[in-house]
Amino acid sequence: MKAVVLIAVLALAYVGVPLVFGGNAYILGLIVAALTIAGVSVAWALLGNLGGMVSFGHAAFFGVGSYVSAVLAMKLGVPVFAAMVLGGVGAAVASVATMPALRLKGPYFALAMLAYAHIFQILATEMTPVTGGAGGLLSIPRFPTVMGVEFGEKTGGYLIVLTIVVLAALAYDAIRRSAWGLALKAMHDTEQATRVVGVPSTHLKAAMLVLSAFITGVVGAFNAHFISFLQPDYAFASTWTVLPIAAAIFGGYRTVWGPVVGSLAIYLLDQLVFKELMPHGHQLVLGALLCVMILFSPGGLMPLLVRRRRRKKEGVQAHAHA
Amino acid sequence: MKPLLEIESLRAGYGAINVLWDVSLTVEAGKTTVIVGPNGAGKTTLLRAVMGLIPVEGGDIRVDGASRRGAKTWDTVASGIVMIPEGRMIFPDMTVEDNLMMGAFPRGCRRDWKRNKEMVFEMFPRLVERRHQIAGTLSGGEAQMLAIGRGLMEQPRVCLIDEPSLGLAPVVVDEIFRILGRLRDQGMTIVLVEQNTSRALKIADQVYLMQSGKVVMSERGDRVDLDRLHALYFAHETAA
Amino acid sequence: KEFLLGSELPLTGNLARVGQGMHEGIAVAIEMANRAYAGKHSFKVSTIDDETNPAKAVAAVERLIGDGAVALTGGYGSNIIGPASEAAQKAGVVYITSGGVTPELTARGYPTFFRINNSEGYAKAMIGLLEDMGVKKVSVVYLNKDATTNLAKQVQSALSAKGVTVGMHEFDAATSDFKPLLNKVKLQDRSEAIAMVGYENDYVGILRAAKVLKPQVKAVVGVWSLATAQMAKEFPDLMENVYGTSMLPYPVEFTQPEALEFAAEYKKLFNKEPDYLGQFGYVQTRLLIDAIVRAEEAGTLAKGGLADELRRTDAQTLIGRVTFDAKGDNTNFSHRMGQHQTGKVVLVWPKDAANGAMRFPGVPW
Amino acid sequence: MFELILQALFSGVLAGGYYATVAVGLALVFGTMRVINLAHGELVLLAAYIAYAAESRYGMNPVAAIPFALLIVGATSAAIYGLLSRIEEDREINSLILTFGIGIILTNAILMIWAADIHSTTDAWFQDSMVIADTLFAMRAEVVFFVGGLALMAGVYWWLNHSWQGRAVRALSSNRNAAKLMGVNPRQTEVLSFLLAALLATFAGIAIYTGKTIFPALGHVMTVKAFIITVLAGLGSIPGVLVGALMIGVIESLTVTFFSASLQELAGMILFLVVLFVSPSGLFGGRKALAR
Amino acid sequence: MLTLEGVQVRFGGVQALKSASFSVAEGETIGLVGPNGAGKTTLFNVISGVVKPTEGRLEFRGRSLLTLPEWKRARLGIGRSFQIPRPLGHCTVRENLIVAQRFGAGTVDPERIDEILDILNLAGKADRDATTELALTEHKALEVGKALATNPSLLLLDEVLAGLETNSKRAFMERLAAVRERFRLAMVVIEHDIPTVTALCPRVLVLNFGQIIADGTPDAVFRDPEVIRSYTGEAAA
Ligand SMILES: Nc1ncnc2c1ncn2[C@@H]1O[C@H](COP(=O)(O)OP(=O)(O)OP(=O)(O)O)[C@@H](O)[C@H]1O
Ligand SMILES: Nc1ncnc2c1ncn2[C@@H]1O[C@H](COP(=O)(O)OP(=O)(O)OP(=O)(O)O)[C@@H](O)[C@H]1O
Ligand SMILES: CC(C)C[C@H](N)C(=O)O
Ligand SMILES: [Mg+2]
Ligand SMILES: [Mg+2]
């Protein structure tokens, strides 16, 4: 049943959305931006929910991924798709530098990651010969046209980012269902207790960190080639951390698809509806929405949707019995 | 004598899980009431319900004849009814001394906190050595002593005690029962939940046996026969 | 005929303040154009807040083009204008701005991109003033952003070439206490003038620190966002004798009729004196509108003739003569320098534009 | 050279004082409810804007505006508490989003009411130079609020550690049910510390308004800085906040003096990481229960 | 199978263990008693790797444990319970056991898990949230369950019988003994109830102030005047 819903939604996303919005660069652009956030959001939730590590510095991986990929493509002529994957690898490698932070817990870990994001940003600013310094990189190569599909255009970019997000979410789901997922869940507040029953908790956490960094890096790399411009301020901006977190929690960060749903909801509502209603202070509405959501459905939007559906289903069954 | 605490057809539990099914019992002033029963019978749950830590679903709790159903925990404490929980319920991030001082938090007790603290230290010399240690690092038994000492700092009128002997060395258990006896002699009303039935019965004025969330026996302390009591436990277990 | 112009500006976020300023100038230009072309054409502007975010600026541009905007005016911050004007270029729509001065923007050679000011023009003014002062040692204190670094480097190389000793001090946007930095200026550089390249809060921070430490300098010079009415009003004790780029004196002493009308309209709409941001926003928009009308009348507007028409611009404006080169830059652009003098801004450089004498040496303390 | 270092240290200490006054309210709320109030910087900013309004509209001295600011900031803080206390599930994470949302609301409200311009006091008394021993220079506001801030922090420290209410605050955050069993009324106690945090925020707001410039985006910046210092301190530790803030202030100012002002953030962050790697629960947070 | 020699642990000023030495043979059951705060739990913490000793030697089946992390020790066959129960977060009772089995024993064997649930009387609570929905004694049972699920060869039990009512205690002990026989487990049991210790353990160690002050059969040990003075008290004597 669940699989059927998933397949239907994916079909709609891959075929329906391009058909309907293909001609509207603006809407499609917004959807791509929302999915970019969704990608980071899934990666963040993977680390936060499975690994029990709330990070306030995912911008670090986003930025590293985007710079690695952009520089590889621009300076070394690496094909863009390959560069994008290598961007993810770069972010994963960078995450190794952040591993001492795995010893830290809760807010200590969260802020250590923020510190890393700052440090990477400053390094990107200071490494002028490679990164172009504060001025950044303009005219980063765009995605090529492959077999007639113009990946450099809006629709092509949409398909790429959609695929990244879907793969990330599926990977997340697979891990969550595995024994690893169970052990990770068990670790949260009681890491010591899991260790004495044989769980190599540090290794598991490190693996999640690397995976999360990789996904974030790929998304960052995608974004760099998609908007074709980079600057330390932008690539490492705190928005790349803050928005995905807000979106993940809004959507329900303990579910796999919650972060995706949350990102789409928050970004599109804000840009399409609130901005329309209140051109200047529309973020105020967004803030209020976040508050209301947390107060009325602390588990996020996803549980709300699922609960609604489940209730309906139960109703139907009761009917059938009667 | 007029009952100090009356519990009538009490129903309570944890959300969807109901634990207490129409529990009724009375506690008389100045007496020691002992509640025994197998594990999971709902003894701790009963104490929690009386203290307002969990909501009451049905029935009533009366103190001095007035209903206290739905009263807030802190108000109950202020009226002199105090619970000494098991040792896990200390303040793990505070020092031993600060833990004890929290026992003197109710307004009436603050004045005498110094004297009471000395009294507690006298009962449990182990705590003196540990007075500046963070309570979360105490050994299990030390934490249990701290919980008891802290409760006594509150100078209660009625004291509900949950398994005080748990995890304590035999010498200390002896000391605990000596203290309980002394408090009873001083006129304190005590409600004691204890698995060490033989020890508890020795100081009991009234004994209740709980099983599966119900009171299945109520008897005056001096009339209870240990073997018969244990047989009752057992009878129920086979029946279940 | 009614024309829709699009405008993408930071109305919230870090650059909100300057974005608002330009926004006001654009609004004035629209009002005045509607009056000037009354009966023939009318103009409307649709403004979208880019929230100081490049991706949202791109979205805004796409949205505006989708809504049928004939051209775009606005943008602030080189880093945001970069991607935004690229989106416009892709759609073949003209993008004109005064909010991005870095050379990289015009280096791209986009046929649809135009701007009326540039880094060189600011540098020219600052360098010219410092040369006129005849100072031999200068400390340049600059923000480590792209546009500011660029400008600071231009000033450094020009002054060094003239034999002036230049001390360079970079700072970060997060800097809020400038005392340690100024202490270096005071004790290590021992310079005669401080040249600041940053934004308002940086200037205020630097001047405050200088006021506390009292280095032995003869002048404090800055660039944009400094010699303004707003600053004179908000920080009277800090601004006295400070120099900054300014096209017009304050209170405005307009002589040309257009300028007078502009000032009156501004006052009417926003109930305050126009400042430099408003002036730039006005000028760029007015030039755009005039070009639109010319293209419309020539019948080339629909066929992408607007860019060519704009490139033919040669006008005397509030900010001086404007013409565009092949890459869309206004090579005539040279700024002027004003000095805060007892609550007013007096133009002191270049000589021919000056409306008062420079108070030199002079510092706010 | 010597003079340069001395002034760098002095400026660093004063800057640290600012950081500490902003951070201490955050630390207090964390110590009380294990909640990170991501709207704390915005509360500070709100106080500053109220001082601005009072000064620009009614010509009031910023210090005289404290009662008004306190009233509004206190009410806002209490409202934040009211919302926070309604969160039942997953308090740690959900409170982040809630306070983050409130922060956004406050920032945008400030933007809408007071526009994006920068402001600061026009009262020159606060910004006059104070010279100590002919070599150390400071702004008067810095010195005044540094001293005031220290006193306030000492007061809060005393309150938390030696007063009955303060102890109740700590007990509540340590074990909520146990605190109730000691007769602590959680709501009353928590509201009290939110009000105290509002007082600290108000004080910090006035300090910022008189010594620095304010603009709407500043709130978020202050929150992040305060958060970093609170964590560096060891969550909930007041002396830790002071020491941590001074460390950050001094290292930043030394970096400016000997390297470049654009590296000062880097230096602060590296210091932060080094401290955490040596002592994973911050400067003063090292006392944690071990396994049993 | 397990040998400790001169193990020392200090926490700041507190010396929790001062030179503790003893060994455990395969299949042996040892009772570990001593006054509160004597260092019993700390000893378990050292063996299972939760606390690093300041000094001393620690060997398991001829292999030094000192450099091994907790999880490797668990996989070698050392299972332990925590005195203050630590259920695995956000997991049901059954999931607790699954994690322990999968990672500690490296096998997947649902039948064995059902068996453990039965032994511990937890079958009825298998799907409850282990962190929030259990009574204290159930938590303690789960502690034993987690340790058993790792297929240990040495089981360290820290006051798991405390708080059990007399009948259940006896029943529990019988089941434990059965498990011990079946899997040829060695056990070290911390327990304050002397009759229990006497019934279950042929050998008893007494710890006081971080040192072993007596080692022998229960009868011998509980007659030792030093043990009576410091631990059992006159009443029990
Ligand atoms: N927080 C909780 N949530 C759900 N159920 C609970 C919770 N705490 C206890 N229970 C259940 O309530 C029942 C009674 O538990 P309670 O702790 O009151 O028993 P008890 O009589 O004190 O037993 P013991 O002798 O083991 O302390 C048990 O079946 C237990 O599983
Ligand atoms: N982290 C720590 N810091 C300071 N002291 C500690 C720490 N951990 C344990 N201790 C002390 O070490 C001593 C030994 O503790 P341990 O838990 O081993 O005792 P125990 O023998 O298990 O006692 P019990 O029978 O009460 O459980 C105790 O006095 C305890 O207070
Ligand atoms: C003069 C200003 C309009 C320059 C602008 N700050 C830029 O970033 O390029
Ligand atoms: Mg109980
Ligand atoms: Mg112990």
Side-chain angles (χ1 to χ4, degrees), chain C residues 137-283:
Chain C
K137 271 184 173 175
V138 175
S139 297
V140 179
V141 181
Y142 66 100
L143 179 64
N144 63 357
K145 291 271 146 69
D146 187 29
T148 46
T149 307
N150 244 312
L151 179 46
K153 295 261 158 78
Q154 285 172 24
V155 172
Q156 178 193 27
S157 58
L159 288 179
S160 305
K162 299 249 156 54
V164 178
T165 316
V166 184
M168 296 291 280
H169 302 280
E170 194 184 47
F171 65 85
D172 184 87
T175 311
S176 67
D177 184 7
F178 285 90
K179 283 202 296 309
L181 203 163
L182 274 229
N183 210 34
K184 273 162 81 179
V185 170
K186 175 183 168 184
L187 297 172
Q188 275 180 348
D189 290 8
R190 299 179 187 282
S191 49
E192 292 171 82
I194 298 172
M196 316 183 280
V197 191
Y199 294 97
E200 286 166 314
N201 32 338
D202 306 324
Y203 299 142
V204 171
I206 296 169
L207 287 168
R208 283 236 169 110
K211 217 180 147 192
V212 169
L213 293 168
K214 302 194 176 35
Q216 299 290 314
V217 297
K218 294 181 184 145
V220 185
V221 182
V223 280
W224 50 70
S225 329
L226 182 55
T228 64
Q230 188 83 13
M231 290 295 255
K233 198 177 118 236
E234 281 284 333
F235 304 100
D237 59 310
L238 287 179
M239 291 303 145
E240 192 58 16
N241 294 331
V242 171
Y243 305 83
T245 52
S246 176
M247 271 299 160
L248 301 168
Y250 170 80
V252 203
E253 294 171 16
F254 287 118
T255 42
Q256 304 154 283
E258 185 195 353
L260 284 171
E261 191 189 347
F262 168 69
E265 188 65 41
Y266 203 99
K267 183 107 201 164
K268 197 178 103 203
L269 283 180
F270 302 108
N271 196 24
K272 59 183 178 189
E273 296 285 341
D275 68 1
Y276 84 105
L277 291 162
Q279 293 160 26
F280 279 96
Y282 165 78
V283 170

Side-chain angles (χ1 to χ4, degrees), chain B residues 126 130 133 137-142 167, chain D residues 288 290 292, chain E residues 11-12 14-16 34-43 83 158-159 190 192 207:
Chain B
R126 185 89 212 171
R130 299 266 167 270
Q133 189 169 323
T137 65
L138 291 176
S139 84
E142 289 164 347
Chain D
K288 269 245 133 162
L290 268 168
R292 42 207 53 254
Chain E
F11 301 106
V14 180
Q15 179 118 36
N36 298 117
K40 303 179 294 295
T41 301
T42 308
L43 199 60
Q83 182 175 2
D158 196 347
E159 297 195 19
I190 299 179
H192 286 299
L207 201 63

Side-chain angles (χ1 to χ4, degrees), chain A residues 142 154 231 233 275 282, chain C residues 49 51 62 79 86 145:
Chain A
R142 290 178 172 278
K154 284 268 138 68
Q231 216 181 23
D233 272 6
K275 203 164 175 168
H282 60 96
Chain C
D49 178 12
E51 301 168 39
E62 281 158 355
N79 55 334
E86 187 182 328
K145 291 271 146 69

